[in-house]
Amino acid sequence: MTATPILEMRGIDKSFGPVQVLRQVDFTANAGEVTALVGDNGAGKSTLVKCVGGIYPIDSGDYLFDGKPVTVHSPRDASSLGVEIVYQDLALCENLDIVQNMFLGRERTRGIVLDEPTMEKMASETLDRLSVRTVKSIRQLVASLSGGQRQTVAIAKAVLWNSKVVILDEPTAALGVAQTAQVLELVRQLADNGLAVVLISHNMNDVFAVADQIACLYLGRMAAQVKATDVTYSQVVELITAGRSGDLGLQAAAVAAAGNGNGSHDAGVTDLGDMNGAQ
Amino acid sequence: MTALQTPPGRTEVPGSTSRSLGEHARDYVGRIRGGDMGSLPALAGLIVLCIVFGVMRPVFFSDINFANLFTQGSQVVLIAMGLVFVLLLGEIDLSAGFASGVCGAIMAILLTNENWGWYLAIPAAIVTGVIIGVVLGVLVAKVGIPSFVVTLAAFLAFQGLVLLLLTGGKNISINDPFTVGIEKDNLPPWLGWVLLIVCVVGYAGVQLNRVRSRRSRGLAVDPLSLIAIKVGALAVAGAIAVYFLNQERAINPAFHSLKGIPNVVPLIVVLLLVWTFVLSRTTFGRHIYAVGGSKEAARRAGINVDRIRISSFVICSGMAAFGGIVAVSRANSVDPNTGGSNILLYAVGAAVIGGTSLFGGKGRVIDAVIGGAVVAVIDNGMGLMGYSAGTKYIVTGVVLLLAAGVDALSRRRAAASGLR
């Protein structure tokens, strides 16, 4: 395993008014690995990701990037660190082609003129590097692409900028079987290229197909972050639904505290996120 | 990872193969059948209309009428070119017609009442247009009033403003030779040929330079035969136009010779080139298309959406100012109806007929010129046939509806075939 995780969140607290959404959450992502982030609806997955992406400021806790503490106040800060998030609703312009979408907002120019050849070249190299073979021409309009191809474009757009951490929010939620396989292959390819990939998913098959680590949120607490090979399918489901599974997960007291939603967060937080450090 | 095998099928590397002329032709036909028709219906309609009018009224093809088409259509074309920017965002500017009237009135007042030179009065008119655009843009983008309502209110208000400027609707005539000459005078015939050669050589140069720079990076290039066809078509069409415009069209040439390209044509060509460059070759233009395609995607890409929306309204009203200048030049005067009546609807019609979508995200500046030609030909031809203004309005309205219908239907068809 790598010595320092590229991304480490330590003891993150986040509340919106009186509602505390994240309590003392620890989370790490290593370069070259796929870390799946799972949890039931409302467990805090999206909030955690938005804190990482700089959309929400964190109330307290440490944000470490490459071992060094950093402060991230805006999405711009996050992308300058090399953290990119691909949201579920992709946000692509259908009336533009693949190259134009990949460079949207960050166009290459020579003087005031768009440098189309350079952009086309870079886009095509990025797609090659990701072994994308499913698009006919990179000058196709995004409107003509299938859901899986659009996901591919959105992911390629995120990795075009030498990003180090790519966070994918339910990339396969709206896809069919074959397209899901394509996207998962791409996810694996990203990690094999040395990126840290965080995969948010509700689909356990997807998680076990590609993830190296599984981090499970339960009602705003990190129930556990474990190696995918160390847990079974049903253990992960228990972690998602009950916050614990045998020795794994939150202690009974913490589960109860999280369950009634207003327990103080120093009461018996012994989540096994630390297990990760022991491995 | 047994589940993760590469799906079978398409394995070509994206975008690295150059295609032949035949493949380009097949591709083009495929795009048209898929609903992405661009300016094709307008060009086809233009040819059919010209033949119909030419057969029924031979005077339609006379040199003087040919030149008239350009001067008659210029105000509509200039306003439509600006409207394309607003339409690209999926917005509308109903006030562009009377905005051109306001700008024209300002120019006429400065020229005649205040005795300013044209070199001050014309920029003042354009600045007026820009200020109008800023106000409209801020109301739409920052305050958040729908553009339809903002510009409908402005339509009414500007109509009143023209009346006030002309103090109760008096007619102000101008006699500044330069300003009048925009529409009334022509280029010397030799200059017309020189400009045509410059345009054709410049176009060929841009195309070949593009091939060279793409080839040096190992990217797909258009076949030279396709470029030759495009350049050839431009040269032939331009030569025909210049030849006929250079014919003597005065009834009594000894008294006052009348030949050459009307001055307004190079004005339109220059503005067409500038705005086409801005839309297709600059970051700003790319961002206009992006905002028109998806505001949310543009915002997340870090594009300042409000700035893009305001600038589009500024360009639209600024171009309306050019339209007003040309209208005043053509009429020798300004009256409360300059830029009124059907001008705005003709301009919206021109942009839409030319292939700019009312739904945003699709369109080019040349659409305004092609659509403007259709509108001018209908107006001119039906006038020659002796139809009343009432019939002309109805026919133009039907054509606009037809164009908007083609736009909506082709959009549906394209959605079905996955092109848009």
Side-chain angles (χ1 to χ4, degrees):
Chain A
M1 282 294 105
T2 41
T4 15
I6 184 86
L7 173 75
E8 183 167 9
M9 309 293 282
R10 246 190 240 150
I12 301 297
D13 279 335
K14 174 71 194 168
S15 35
F16 296 106
V19 185
Q20 187 154 16
V21 184
L22 297 178
R23 294 161 196 277
Q24 291 293 304
V25 169
D26 294 341
F27 176 74
T28 58
N30 295 316
E33 286 189 353
V34 177
T35 309
L37 182 58
V38 298
D40 214 341
N41 291 336
K45 302 188 296 291
S46 301
T47 309
L48 178 59
V49 162
K50 283 178 177 163
C51 289
V52 174
I55 293 171
Y56 297 151
I58 52 180
D59 293 348
S60 66
D62 299 315
Y63 189 134
L64 294 130
F65 193 82
D66 218 357
K68 290 181 278 291
V70 288
T71 48
V72 173
H73 293 299
S74 72
R76 228 168 258 277
D77 293 347
S79 49
S80 66
L81 283 174
V83 178
E84 292 282 340
I85 305 181
V86 179
Y87 292 100
Q88 215 171 339
D89 62 332
L90 306 182
L92 299 171
C93 290
E94 298 208 343
N95 60 335
L96 300 182
D97 66 30
I98 295 176
V99 181
Q100 292 170 341
N101 264 292
M102 283 173 70
F103 281 86
L104 192 60
R106 298 188 266 202
E107 288 85 358
R108 289 295 166 99
T109 54
R110 255 188 309 182
I112 56 162
V113 185
L114 289 168
D115 190 356
E116 297 283 358
T118 301
M119 289 196 276
E120 191 168 329
K121 186 93 188 153
M122 284 175 71
S124 138
E125 280 166 3
T126 304
L127 290 173
D128 282 350
R129 203 167 62 230
L130 299 174
S131 314
V132 172
R133 282 177 292 270
T134 52
V135 290
K136 260 194 301 186
S137 154
I138 54 172
R139 283 299 181 185
Q140 255 179 302
L141 295 187
V142 165
S144 70
L145 300 180
S146 71
Q149 289 172 327
R150 287 177 195 213
Q151 189 75 50
T152 305
V153 172
I155 294 173
K157 179 182 179 182
V159 300
L160 185 62
W161 306 96
N162 293 323
S163 16
K164 302 196 174 70
V165 179
V166 175
I167 303 173
L168 306 171
D169 189 0
E170 304 238 17
T172 60
L175 302 183
V177 176
Q179 295 185 346
T180 300
Q182 282 171 24
V183 169
L184 290 181
E185 186 194 22
L186 178 57
V187 168
R188 194 61 250 173
Q189 185 76 44
L190 290 177
D192 292 348
N193 283 2
L195 274 80
V197 183
V198 178
L199 174 74
I200 300 181
S201 184
H202 273 123
N203 186 326
M204 286 305 124
N205 291 327
D206 293 0
V207 168
F208 277 97
V210 290
D212 299 300
Q213 299 219 13
I214 299 175
C216 181
L217 278 169
Y218 176 73
L219 296 172
R221 290 163 190 267
M222 186 57 76
Q225 181 165 355
V226 292
K227 265 185 145 178
T229 47
D230 291 350
V231 287
T232 63
Y233 190 105
S234 57
Q235 278 180 304
V236 175
V237 173
E238 273 184 65
L239 283 171
I240 292 172
T241 52
R244 55 183 305 201
S245 168
D247 295 341
L248 286 174
L250 303 165
Q251 295 296 318
V255 171
N260 67 30
N262 53 9
S264 65
H265 40 87
D266 51 354
V269 179
T270 50
D271 60 84
L272 296 188
D274 297 320
M275 261 186 77
N276 169 42
Q279 284 159 1
Chain B
M1 304 293 148
T2 48
L4 302 180
Q5 271 157 14
T6 316
R10 296 163 290 187
T11 50
E12 55 195 290
V13 185
S16 63
T17 42
S18 294
R19 296 170 312 156
S20 72
L21 188 60
E23 282 171 295
H24 270 280
R26 264 198 301 283
D27 217 48
Y28 184 63
V29 173
R31 275 215 310 277
I32 291 166
R33 297 176 77 169
D36 182 13
M37 289 191 280
S39 298
L40 197 69
L43 280 174
L46 190 60
I47 292 168
V48 171
L49 284 169
C50 284
I51 291 172
V52 169
F53 287 133
V55 168
M56 297 182 83
R57 286 289 180 276
V59 68
F60 179 80
F61 276 135
S62 66
D63 298 328
I64 183 136
N65 195 50
F66 187 52
N68 272 349
L69 278 175
F70 287 89
T71 50
Q72 283 169 356
S74 54
Q75 184 190 10
V76 165
V77 165
L78 287 168
I79 297 176
M81 283 162 84
L83 271 168
V84 166
F85 284 80
V86 173
L87 293 176
L88 272 177
L89 300 185
E91 310 275 359
I92 185 82
D93 184 354
L94 298 175
S95 68
F98 274 113
S100 80
V102 170
C103 298
I106 298 266
M107 180 185 75
I109 290 167
L110 293 177
L111 279 175
T112 304
N113 298 7
E114 309 292 328
N115 282 321
W116 287 27
W118 62 266
Y119 43 87
L120 290 176
I122 288 180
I126 294 166
V127 168
T128 308
V130 168
I131 293 169
I132 289 172
V134 171
V135 173
L136 296 177
V138 167
L139 287 173
V140 171
K142 294 288 185 192
V143 183
I145 312 171
S147 59
F148 179 81
V149 178
V150 169
T151 59
L152 189 62
F155 166 81
L156 210 60
F158 291 159
Q159 199 168 352
L161 191 57
V162 177
L163 275 174
L164 290 181
L165 283 170
L166 303 177
T167 50
K170 273 192 308 221
N171 187 325
I172 299 181
S173 51
I174 57 163
N175 42 27
D176 175 67
F178 179 88
T179 315
V180 174
I182 297 173
E183 280 270 346
K184 294 277 162 61
D185 289 348
N186 304 296
L187 296 179
W190 62 268
L191 190 55
W193 288 114
V194 169
L195 285 182
L196 176 66
I197 290 166
V198 168
C199 282
V200 172
V201 170
Y203 181 66
V206 168
Q207 292 285 327
L208 290 174
N209 185 44
R210 183 157 170 263
V211 166
R212 190 189 53 77
S213 101
R214 288 179 64 89
R215 186 169 284 150
S216 72
R217 287 183 174 77
L219 295 167
V221 291
D222 289 346
L224 282 177
S225 47
L226 181 70
I227 294 172
I229 290 173
K230 284 182 181 171
V231 173
L234 177 72
V236 170
I240 292 173
V242 173
Y243 174 78
F244 283 109
L245 289 173
N246 277 348
Q247 300 299 309
E248 181 61 62
R249 44 182 193 266
I251 298 156
N252 184 357
F255 170 65
H256 179 69
S257 176
L258 199 61
K259 58 182 175 183
I261 300 175
N263 282 337
V264 72
V265 174
L267 174 70
I268 290 176
V269 170
V270 167
L271 287 168
L272 172 68
L273 292 178
V274 167
W275 292 127
T276 301
F277 173 82
V278 167
L279 268 188
S280 58
R281 293 270 176 271
T282 68
T283 313
F284 174 69
R286 178 66 41 83
H287 291 177
I288 288 182
Y289 283 105
V291 173
S294 163
K295 260 192 209 87
E296 178 59 15
R299 192 186 61 76
R300 284 203 211 151
I303 295 169
N304 188 337
V305 175
D306 287 352
R307 195 179 64 94
I308 297 287
R309 293 172 84 191
I310 294 173
S311 350
S312 290
F313 277 95
V314 169
I315 292 171
C316 182
S317 300
M319 288 300 290
F322 277 98
I325 294 164
V326 165
V328 173
S329 162
R330 186 174 145 70
N332 255 351
S333 69
V334 62
D335 63 64
N337 215 21
T338 305
S341 75
N342 53 3
I343 291 293
L344 171 83
L345 291 179
Y346 273 12
V348 175
V352 175
I353 290 167
T356 295
S357 173
L358 284 167
F359 302 97
K362 180 169 154 266
R364 297 167 306 165
V365 183
I366 187 130
D367 293 347
V369 178
I370 296 170
V374 173
V375 170
V377 164
I378 293 176
D379 197 62
N380 175 296
M382 293 196 61
L384 291 179
M385 307 259 294
Y387 286 110
S388 67
T391 321
K392 279 202 285 192
Y393 286 174
I394 291 174
V395 169
T396 315
V398 169
V399 170
L400 170 56
L401 215 54
L402 214 65
V406 167
D407 177 25
L409 287 177
S410 72
R411 199 177 145 85
R412 243 181 32 202
R413 170 139 194 188
S417 68
L419 268 170
R420 205 190 136 71

